[in-house]
Amino acid sequence: METVKVYQIGLGSFGRNGFEKLVELHRYFGKVDVELKGVCDRDFERLDEAEKFAEANDIFVETFQDIEEMYEAAKKEKGTVMIYD
């Protein structure tokens, strides 16, 4: 099965919950078919908190404050990519 690479837009209350669930999925279920690659939010503090949360769970994610920049990074991925908004 092919791995889906996920890029997320937004870390507001709903977005933050989704981000934490993706990190939890990776952490508790080991090798999964979903890989969280990046997250985008205009708020630097939210991005910083998300990055620290991911790192605390041994996951590296790219952070973006510009949606177009995130889309460009996602276009460079090979295979299936999902933009989660």
Side-chain angles (χ1 to χ4, degrees):
M1 182 179 282
E2 185 176 356
T3 299
V4 175
K5 293 153 183 91
V6 179
Y7 286 81
Q8 179 176 330
I9 299 171
L11 288 167
S13 60
F14 184 74
R16 177 65 187 198
N17 184 52
F19 177 78
E20 290 176 359
K21 293 298 177 192
L22 287 167
V23 169
E24 185 178 301
L25 179 70
H26 179 83
R27 183 175 179 205
Y28 290 110
F29 296 103
K31 182 78 174 144
V32 294
D33 297 318
V34 175
E35 180 182 358
L36 182 58
K37 297 290 291 184
V39 63
C40 180
D41 198 288
R42 292 183 182 147
D43 186 315
F44 177 77
E45 289 180 15
R46 288 181 184 169
L47 284 176
D48 190 48
E49 288 175 17
E51 187 175 31
K52 288 177 183 174
F53 181 78
E55 287 176 0
N57 287 281
D58 298 321
I59 300 170
F60 171 78
V61 294
E62 272 190 271
T63 58
F64 304 91
Q65 284 188 289
D66 180 70
I67 291 174
E68 293 302 320
E69 186 180 334
M70 187 196 72
Y71 272 99
E72 288 302 315
K75 285 181 188 178
K76 294 176 185 174
E77 292 289 343
K78 294 188 185 324
T80 305
V81 175
M82 179 179 87
I83 306 295
Y84 172 63
D85 186 0

